[in-house]
Amino acid sequence: MSSATPKTSPTPPTASSHACQRAKITGVTLKDIRAMAATAAKKKGYTRAQIKITLAHTDESTIDGYIRERDILFSEIVLILPKIGK
């Protein structure tokens, strides 16, 4: 039997908040991580359509809030994206 206690907080982002607490990650949100991945994918040459699918958005304009246009230092991220079409 698991010793985990169910989370009962009414706010939706609690799952990611609790995951960050357990991993001892501070000062970073889930959106920050998604933005870093989307920006890295764009710099690696992935298309906006591929990034949209990875971020699970239905409209390409929604990803504009995730792709950072300024150059920032970050670690290399390897993404495996689904192929579109054949």
Side-chain angles (χ1 to χ4, degrees):
M1 177 171 228
S2 173
S3 63
T5 56
K7 305 300 178 198
T8 58
S9 176
T11 55
T14 56
S16 62
S17 298
H18 290 297
C20 285
Q21 286 174 356
R22 285 190 306 274
K24 297 180 178 22
I25 296 172
T26 59
V28 178
T29 66
L30 187 57
K31 184 171 180 176
D32 294 332
I33 295 167
R34 289 167 55 89
M36 184 177 68
T39 302
K42 181 178 180 226
K43 286 184 177 188
K44 287 286 188 177
Y46 288 98
T47 66
R48 291 176 58 82
Q50 290 171 312
I51 296 169
K52 176 191 79 158
I53 290 169
T54 302
L55 294 176
H57 288 289
T58 56
D59 186 349
E60 280 188 34
S61 66
T62 311
I63 70 171
D64 292 338
Y66 287 91
I67 297 174
R68 307 295 187 228
E69 295 299 327
R70 63 180 184 192
D71 283 333
I72 54 174
L73 299 175
F74 54 86
S75 300
E76 183 174 334
I77 298 172
V78 178
L79 299 174
I80 299 173
L81 300 174
K83 293 185 180 193
I84 298 175
K86 289 186 175 182

